[in-house]
């Protein structure tokens, strides 16, 4: 860890980049909800307030989803002083009152604009109006800005041009004195992953997500730099690469596909912004979104993304021509390791992973010290909440909720942070012990088609003494 940090510092000095912004926000990936995926421009005050209430009553706020983010289509031009007007038909109480109510629910409020002449849905954009707009956001009590890329007036094409355009809003936000999480949405254009961390808390890596497991999309990041469409070759950077809002619960994928989607977003340290309509939240979506053992990987204090250690493209193709099997691995707090066995192929498969592969990034060809230890394997989906109990929670009157949350052994991260829970080895964050790997060995699991299995490996070597990081207080 220490040497990695040192290398990052040296690289930062060479490239003139800050290591990452330090506005005290999103030290772990932000969590919350955004209306765009399920509802597009159908935004209103009641949508935000009903959703806020649902976040509280479903327990999702307490498990960590604390940002309510309003996307495009909320404004109504500018006033004569050049300040954005909120659409009072959609938000009759005005944006400041909406923000107040959201805050009263123990939640934070996010808004959207574009570093362009217009937003993507052709509402007023913030390009060249940054100071005014940042002031409006601050005055309304906004805690988060998602900043898009449409109608950028040709100000793109090199990392420097895009960086400069996005930095103006970063400076304007800072000028207000109100801390706001700054979430870039320039779709990975101009290699955002090389500069996003200097001016923002998170940055989108790709074009818009689609609620389908198999739909190919050239706007996705890719790994073939010789492909001219590959605008953001796979990166391995620290902090929040934003893979776009979640689709869990929107109906386009199976339960297993949604589990795989959620597992990958958590392990890759993407922000976890639910993109479904919470007013019609189903039990099966709730029990994916509220799994504390998976969220603990997302909120791990080390903040390191998993990396792919194996890719098999010749696996059985499904009817869409997709046939990949992948193994992903990454380090977690306290010397633990997360491993994902992803089966994107057309048939169920037995996937195995050896310690040599799992710890590839700690040393090539089995040279990583962890390969010589024994490990316990914890299945992070084995304790998924029962759908019947989740349905009871969704149906319960408010005064019965506390008892039900107790019955469900709900993880309340507003009382005990994920970091503290991990320090205490809270069993809800660890999943279920299902296997053991001896030094130099491997483990395997049956993984259904279009699904993923997700594990936490814990060292049992050295007489059970686990590795303690030099930087214990991250
Ligand atoms: C896109 C953006 C989406 C959504 C939409 C609103 O550019 O990627 O997430 O914000 O604009 O118009």
């Amino acid at each position: 860890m220490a040497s990695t940090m040192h290398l990052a510092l040296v690289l930062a000095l060479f490239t003139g980049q800050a290591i990452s912004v330090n506005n005290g926000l999103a030290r772990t990936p932000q969590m919350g909800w955004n209306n765009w995926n399920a509802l597009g421009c159908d935004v209103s005050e009641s949508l935000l307030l009903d959703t806020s209430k649902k976040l509280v009553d479903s327990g999702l706020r307490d498990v960590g989803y604390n940002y309510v983010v309003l996307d495009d289509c909320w404004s109504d031009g500018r006033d004569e002083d050049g300040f954005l007007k909120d659409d009072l038909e959609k938000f009759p109480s005005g944006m400041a009152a909406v923000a107040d109510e959201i805050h009263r629910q123990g939640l934070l409020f996010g808004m959207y604009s574009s570093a362009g002449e217009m937003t993507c849905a052709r509402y007023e954009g913030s390009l060249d109006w940054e100071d005014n707009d940042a002031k409006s956001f601050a005055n309304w009590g906004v805690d988060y800005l998602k900043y898009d890329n449409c109608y950028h007036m040709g100000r793109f094409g090199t990392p420097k041009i895009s960086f400069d355009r996005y930095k103006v809003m970063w400076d304007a936000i800072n000028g207000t004195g109100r801390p706001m999480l700054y979430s870039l949405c320039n779709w990975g254009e101009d290699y955002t992953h090389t500069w996003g961390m200097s001016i923002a808390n998170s940055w989108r890596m790709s074009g818009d997500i689609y609620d389908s497991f198999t739909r190919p999309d050239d706007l996705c990041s890719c790994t073939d730099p010789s492909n001219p469409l590959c605008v953001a070759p796979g990166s391995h950077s620290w902090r929040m690469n934003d893979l776009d809002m979640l689709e869990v619960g929107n109906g386009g994928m199976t339960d297993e596909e949604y589990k795989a989607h959620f597992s990958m977003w958590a392990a890759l340290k993407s922000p976890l912004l639910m993109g479904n309509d919470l007013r019609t939240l189903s039990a099966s979506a709730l029990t994916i979104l509220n799994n504390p053992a998976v969220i603990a990987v997302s909120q791990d204090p080390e903040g390191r993304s998993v990396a792919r250690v194996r890719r098999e493209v010749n696996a059985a193709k499904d009817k869409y021509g997709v046939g990949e099997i992948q193994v992903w691995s990454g380090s977690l707090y306290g010397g633990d390791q997360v491993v994902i066995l992803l089966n994107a192929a057309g048939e169920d498969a037995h996937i195995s992973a050896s310690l040599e592969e799992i710890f590839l990034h700690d040393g090539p060809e089995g040279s990583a010290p962890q390969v010589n230890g024994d490990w316990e394997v914890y299945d992070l989906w084995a304790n998924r909440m029962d759908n019947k109990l989740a349905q009871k929670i969704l149906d319960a009157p408010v005064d019965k909720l506390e008892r039900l949350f107790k019955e469900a052994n709900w993880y309340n991260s507003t009382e005990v942070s994920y970091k503290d829970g991990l320090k205490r080895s809270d069993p809800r964050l660890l999943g279920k012990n299902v296997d053991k790997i001896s030094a130099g060995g491997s483990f395997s699991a049956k993984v259904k088609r279009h699904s993923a299995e997700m594990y936490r490996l814990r060292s049992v070597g050295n007489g059970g003494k686990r590795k303690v990081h030099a930087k214990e207080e991250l």
Side-chain angles (χ1 to χ4, degrees):
M1 178 72 183
S3 61
T4 319
M5 286 301 292
H6 180 66
L7 183 64
L9 187 63
V10 171
L11 281 174
L13 290 173
F14 266 96
T15 55
Q17 286 176 355
I19 293 175
S20 63
V21 298
N22 189 9
N23 57 357
L25 302 173
R27 303 306 296 166
T28 57
Q30 67 263 34
M31 296 176 66
W33 172 86
N34 172 305
N35 64 274
W36 181 258
N37 285 359
L39 296 147
C41 277
D42 192 7
V43 293
S44 64
E45 179 170 327
S46 62
L47 168 68
L48 296 187
L49 300 188
D50 292 350
T51 300
S52 302
K53 186 166 183 322
K54 191 62 177 269
L55 277 164
V56 178
D57 293 348
S58 62
L60 286 168
R61 177 197 63 186
D62 290 345
V63 92
Y65 298 90
N66 60 347
Y67 283 102
V68 175
V69 183
L70 167 62
D71 211 281
D72 206 346
C73 314
W74 57 265
S75 68
D76 183 21
R78 289 185 185 277
D79 65 19
E80 60 272 18
D81 298 320
F83 286 93
L84 285 170
K85 293 193 288 178
D86 37 356
D87 183 333
L88 290 176
E89 267 180 33
K90 293 176 182 167
F91 303 90
S93 311
M95 220 45 102
V98 170
D100 279 353
E101 186 48 38
I102 289 173
H103 291 150
R104 254 195 295 280
Q105 303 274 359
L107 295 160
L108 296 163
F109 182 38
M111 285 188 75
Y112 161 101
S113 190
S114 180
E117 190 184 13
M118 291 185 286
T119 70
C120 297
R122 302 175 68 87
Y123 288 73
E124 219 31 64
S126 292
L127 190 63
D128 300 331
W129 294 98
E130 290 87 352
D131 279 336
N132 278 16
D133 294 357
K135 274 187 198 130
S136 298
F137 297 136
N139 289 340
W140 288 332
V142 170
D143 308 293
Y144 180 124
L145 179 66
K146 170 177 174 179
Y147 205 40
D148 212 338
N149 195 32
C150 280
Y151 301 102
H152 47 44
M153 313 272 286
R155 290 188 223 168
F156 84 117
T158 69
K160 171 87 171 104
I161 298 172
S162 285
F163 172 87
D164 287 347
R165 179 163 49 98
Y166 279 93
K167 185 168 183 296
V168 183
M169 184 54 102
W170 168 238
D171 291 338
I173 288 173
N174 286 330
T176 69
R178 183 178 176 85
M180 280 183 239
L181 192 157
Y182 190 36
S183 151
L184 303 189
C185 179
N186 81 329
W187 322 312
E189 220 172 68
D190 289 339
Y191 300 92
T192 331
H193 59 281
T194 64
W195 50 266
M197 68 291 287
S198 313
I199 52 165
N201 296 99
S202 65
W203 47 92
R204 276 272 293 278
M205 292 293 289
S206 54
D208 287 11
I209 194 168
Y210 193 86
D211 186 19
S212 159
F213 195 79
T214 44
R215 178 181 181 262
D217 190 336
D218 286 339
L219 287 176
C220 284
S221 319
C222 40
T223 48
D224 173 11
S226 65
N227 172 358
L229 290 172
C230 193
V231 287
S235 81
H236 190 166
S237 69
W238 196 47
R239 295 244 161 257
M240 278 48 126
N241 289 307
D242 180 352
L243 302 173
D244 207 350
M245 285 92 67
L246 295 162
E247 294 285 6
V248 176
N250 277 335
M253 296 191 230
T254 66
D255 191 69
E256 287 298 331
E257 290 172 345
Y258 279 139
K259 268 170 61 190
H261 167 35
F262 191 65
S263 304
M264 291 306 298
W265 262 233
L268 286 159
K269 305 297 191 276
S270 173
L272 294 180
L273 290 172
M274 298 179 289
N276 53 326
D277 186 346
L278 292 184
R279 298 168 304 181
T280 53
L281 178 65
S282 68
S284 58
L286 178 59
T287 58
I288 292 175
L289 295 164
N290 74 3
N291 182 340
V294 174
I295 298 174
V297 171
S298 154
Q299 300 299 303
D300 188 86
E302 268 199 20
R304 296 191 68 85
S305 165
V306 281
R308 196 173 57 205
V309 293
R310 191 191 328 151
R311 181 181 189 193
E312 285 171 29
V313 287
N314 292 325
K317 301 245 186 284
D318 62 16
K319 64 178 175 182
Y320 306 101
V322 178
E324 293 211 22
I325 281 176
Q326 301 180 358
V327 178
W328 293 74
S329 175
S331 70
L332 297 173
Y333 181 72
D336 290 0
Q337 190 82 1
V338 56
V339 178
I340 293 186
L341 310 177
L342 174 67
N343 180 3
E347 289 170 9
D348 299 354
H350 280 276
I351 305 180
S352 68
S354 65
L355 291 178
E356 182 178 329
E357 273 177 300
I358 291 169
F359 292 104
L360 183 69
H361 291 282
D362 293 274
E365 294 174 24
S367 63
Q370 296 97 318
V371 176
N372 301 320
D374 295 333
W375 295 84
E376 265 168 355
V377 181
Y378 289 76
D379 181 341
L380 300 185
W381 282 107
N383 295 338
R384 176 178 174 181
M385 182 186 285
D386 175 47
N387 278 348
K388 279 199 196 111
L389 179 54
Q391 192 59 53
K392 258 182 87 193
I393 291 172
L394 291 171
D395 295 340
V398 177
D399 62 335
K400 296 277 182 311
L401 282 173
E402 211 178 305
R403 194 180 54 75
L404 281 173
F405 287 137
K406 254 209 187 104
E407 188 187 323
N409 197 16
W410 201 270
Y411 193 80
N412 188 333
S413 67
T414 69
E415 286 168 1
V416 181
S417 68
Y418 283 97
K419 179 178 169 180
D420 287 341
L422 287 168
K423 270 190 182 167
R424 297 177 194 177
S425 290
D426 188 311
R428 291 169 294 186
L429 305 186
L430 301 183
K432 186 177 172 198
N433 192 340
V434 291
D435 207 347
K436 199 173 165 191
I437 315 176
S438 307
S442 62
F443 82 114
S444 81
K446 182 172 174 203
V447 188
K448 289 188 207 135
R449 68 178 282 278
H450 289 196
S451 78
E453 298 295 338
M454 186 177 191
Y455 303 95
R456 175 183 285 266
L457 269 49
R458 311 200 91 203
S459 166
V460 286
N462 310 321
K465 223 171 111 220
R466 299 179 55 245
K467 175 178 150 195
V468 177
H469 277 269
K471 261 183 91 193
E472 178 64 30
E473 287 307 322
L474 286 157

